[in-house]
Amino acid sequence: MRYAVEAGEPALAGDIVEDAGGVRLYLREGIVQFQAAHRLLTEDAVAARPRLALVRCVSLLLSGRMDEARARYGSLAGAVDGLQVDASGAELELAADHCVVRGMMLLYGSESMGSTMMRTHLADVARLVESPHLDVLTRGVLEYSRCLAGNLTGNIAEALDHAARARPCFAQSRYMSMFLDVQEGQAAMAQGRVEDAAELYQRAKQVATERYALDVEPAAVCSALTHELSLECGRAAPEAEPDRVPEALTRGSTPFQAYAAASGAVLEARLRDEGVESALAAADEMLDYVRNARLPALVRYVSALRVSLLATAAPIGDAERAWEAADLPPDAAGCLDLAGQTWREMEALSSARLRLAIGRRRFEEARSLASELRTAAAARGLKRTLMRALALSAVLERRAGDGAAAAAHVEEYLFAYADSPYAGPLVRERADCAELLAACLESAPGAAVGDAAPALLAAMVCADDPRQRLLSARERQVLQRLAGRRDKQIAAELGLSAYGVRYHLRNLFAKLGVRNRVEALRRAREMGLIRGET
């Protein structure tokens, strides 16, 4: 391409891009090679050829310039609309490129699953994948798209079936194989297969860091998903916990799953470590971003998380007004709908509405919604959602005064925990569930239920330990690295500047009542915040 441009043949450079797959060059080689090729395309070449205009759409989208990508895509309506997906030759190539770009626009634009554009896209993909003229990589990409759609809507078995079809098509694309690992990992997470999810995330991250180090998004996605999984299990994260959504996921366009996982995990960590006010402040920042970036599904999702936080902290009227202001569903059916929204939205909306009903003591309404949520989660094999529903059902019955029903929900949670060690949902509701859990342990100490109860009780005790709440997550990370490391070393390990480390050190010294590092380490050991040498 470079030689063609230097020889005054920009059209030849465009031919080379098209012959290399057009937008599918990105899917085969990754963002660095793709953007390098895109930079050699002239505006005249792009304007004259729809496939090259689609390449420019993807380049803008991957650069975080979503509004420009939307405008460019809109200008192509006459050239790409009405294409026959059962075509062949050049028309098939254009139709395939268009399907890929439209799918990326929907994914990065956080489009509603029930929108006309989304439904049209999924129907076209289902027809196009049947074409006998498709090349192997494109067929794999279309199967990957269907896997992604299944994951989003909670059709996990269907998602895994499409993943199995896509896998052999990516033999020559480590890039797409990496993203397929991420999708299979999210399916495992939703089903409660924790070890499988962790292994798939780790494998994808290893490929991202070793082969695509200049493309920061895949590694950031894997880190966010790993952090979410650790929090759901009530475990310490295997790496530094972020105190905000990673910058790589806040550039004006972002995949729904990645931002949803990252934002939910950050809010849970803030709530655990710094309290509800800190979590609400973070939720407000997130809402500003997703609203300004015009990401509709994420606006609904983050709004629902914010309502849940308000329902646990503020007068319930504040939470109800926030629900109405965000234009969230007016009834339970809208919360539970999986035809028009993702399972993460369904989970967040239903949980928030349950908290509102419990807070207003509308117990019959809450029972109906909780029952439907448990049924929907069980039918789709959404173990994580089911366990959240069981924890909230126990809270509901305890506050309604039905101790036997509350205990039954806790016992069901314990049986689920034996297969899927998601401690987080019940630990979050420990104010209502700790006594119920202790009673289960006392009544059946040798049963399978009794084996799970001690681990959950220990997690609840740890969560209530004031020593753990004294310091923020970032301050604890700095504290653990004080011995034997300079500020620059700590900064490099935690992804901070040296000034950021010193800022956290000042806060540490103030909270511990000390003047220097030696005193901080001694006081931290005395308080049980760290043990021995670090």
Side-chain angles (χ1 to χ4, degrees):
M1 287 181 68
R2 190 160 50 247
Y3 292 152
V5 171
E6 290 173 357
E9 297 286 347
L12 177 56
D15 290 340
I16 294 170
V17 171
E18 290 190 350
D19 290 343
V23 299
R24 285 164 282 166
L25 174 63
Y26 160 64
L27 303 172
R28 188 174 67 246
E29 302 292 345
I31 189 172
V32 175
Q33 298 286 358
F34 175 80
Q35 293 288 41
H38 170 262
R39 285 192 289 272
L40 293 170
L41 294 175
T42 66
E43 185 58 42
D44 287 344
V46 168
R49 297 156 77 166
R51 288 190 70 196
L52 298 183
L54 289 169
V55 167
R56 181 139 297 172
C57 280
V58 172
S59 175
L60 291 167
L61 185 153
L62 294 174
S63 301
R65 297 155 66 183
M66 191 66 190
D67 285 342
E68 293 177 63
R70 286 179 175 127
R72 174 72 69 165
Y73 181 78
S75 71
L76 288 170
V80 296
D81 284 352
L83 287 172
Q84 298 299 313
V85 296
D86 55 356
S88 61
E91 192 167 292
L92 176 65
E93 292 298 309
L94 181 55
D97 280 3
H98 179 221
C99 263
V100 169
V101 174
R102 184 173 56 190
M104 292 181 69
M105 295 290 294
L106 292 167
L107 176 65
Y108 280 80
S110 186
E111 187 71 25
S112 167
M113 294 303 297
S115 72
T116 300
M117 186 176 176
M118 180 67 80
R119 293 181 187 280
T120 300
H121 172 70
L122 293 176
D124 283 352
V125 168
R127 289 164 55 207
L128 182 59
V129 77
E130 299 300 325
S131 170
H133 306 295
L134 282 177
D135 63 274
V136 172
L137 175 63
T138 302
R139 190 177 306 282
V141 169
L142 295 177
E143 291 290 1
Y144 172 85
S145 297
R146 300 177 80 184
C147 167
L148 175 58
N151 258 344
L152 286 169
T153 54
N155 292 300
I156 305 301
E158 180 182 306
L160 291 173
D161 179 55
H162 290 300
R165 297 182 192 183
R167 180 69 69 182
C169 298
F170 294 152
Q172 302 303 315
S173 176
R174 292 291 298 276
Y175 198 68
M176 287 305 301
S177 294
M178 170 183 68
F179 281 114
L180 193 59
D181 282 343
V182 169
Q183 288 304 315
E184 290 187 331
Q186 290 193 75
M189 180 275 297
Q191 292 181 322
R193 295 185 287 113
V194 171
E195 298 307 320
D196 289 345
E199 181 179 345
L200 286 159
Y201 293 160
Q202 179 56 35
R203 188 167 76 185
K205 185 167 185 180
Q206 184 173 351
V207 173
T209 53
E210 291 179 358
R211 296 179 63 93
Y212 305 104
L214 297 179
D215 184 357
V216 296
E217 184 184 295
V221 169
C222 293
S223 293
L225 293 170
T226 300
H227 183 206
E228 176 190 49
L229 186 65
S230 298
L231 280 171
E232 206 68 25
C233 294
R235 300 174 181 168
E239 55 190 61
E241 290 186 346
D243 57 3
R244 63 189 69 247
V245 176
E247 185 178 351
L249 303 180
T250 58
R251 299 182 299 180
S253 59
T254 184
F256 172 86
Q257 293 166 304
Y259 191 91
S263 58
V266 167
L267 293 182
E268 284 291 336
R270 287 279 193 103
L271 182 65
R272 177 197 67 193
D273 297 330
E274 301 174 25
V276 71
E277 292 303 323
S278 176
L280 281 168
D284 288 339
E285 290 179 11
M286 294 169 188
L287 270 177
D288 285 344
Y289 164 66
V290 295
R291 284 172 176 160
N292 291 335
R294 295 191 292 146
L295 304 173
L298 283 170
V299 170
R300 282 163 54 90
Y301 177 76
V302 177
S303 295
L305 296 181
R306 183 173 181 273
V307 170
S308 276
L309 290 169
L310 284 170
T312 64
I316 199 67
D318 291 353
E320 289 175 325
R321 285 187 287 274
W323 181 279
E324 293 172 2
D327 196 27
L328 298 180
D331 53 28
C335 297
L336 293 162
D337 170 39
L338 273 173
Q341 64 185 353
T342 66
W343 72 264
R344 287 180 182 271
E345 290 173 87
M346 181 271 284
E347 179 186 87
L349 287 164
S350 298
S351 296
R353 192 169 183 90
L354 260 175
R355 292 186 189 281
L356 291 178
I358 294 169
R360 280 300 188 194
R361 303 185 66 79
R362 299 195 298 265
F363 295 132
E364 287 308 314
E365 174 190 333
R367 284 191 180 101
S368 176
L369 174 55
S371 176
E372 290 183 72
L373 179 58
R374 295 194 305 272
T375 299
R380 297 290 182 107
L382 298 172
K383 196 69 165 290
R384 167 180 134 154
T385 303
L386 176 61
M387 293 177 76
R388 291 188 176 203
L390 286 169
L392 284 171
S393 297
V395 173
L396 156 65
E397 297 300 352
R398 183 177 185 275
R399 296 192 188 179
D402 191 338
H409 289 308
V410 169
E411 185 171 331
E412 188 176 350
Y413 188 102
L414 290 171
F415 279 112
Y417 180 82
D419 293 323
S420 302
Y422 285 153
L426 202 69
V427 169
R428 184 177 180 182
E429 313 303 334
R430 59 191 177 277
D432 287 278
C433 295
E435 289 183 8
L436 295 167
L437 187 58
C440 281
L441 179 59
E442 184 176 344
S443 62
V449 166
D451 294 336
L456 285 165
L457 280 170
M460 289 179 177
V461 170
C462 182
D464 280 327
D465 187 342
R467 295 174 301 178
Q468 299 299 323
R469 296 198 304 271
L470 174 65
L471 306 179
S472 71
R474 186 64 85 184
E475 288 161 358
R476 289 201 304 272
Q477 291 161 5
V478 171
L479 176 63
Q480 292 292 334
R481 291 165 174 79
L482 270 186
R485 293 179 179 86
R486 297 181 181 276
D487 290 352
K488 288 184 178 180
Q489 291 173 294
I490 297 173
E493 290 182 21
L494 296 180
L496 297 170
S497 68
Y499 296 106
V501 172
R502 287 193 280 275
Y503 167 79
H504 290 299
L505 279 175
R506 286 195 297 271
N507 289 339
L508 263 173
F509 294 168
K511 289 181 178 181
L512 297 177
V514 299
R515 294 172 295 178
N516 55 49
R517 291 168 176 253
V518 174
E519 291 180 5
L521 287 168
R522 184 175 64 250
R523 182 65 56 81
R525 293 189 184 104
E526 291 171 352
M527 296 175 67
L529 294 171
I530 56 176
R531 294 180 181 178
E533 296 301 319
T534 58

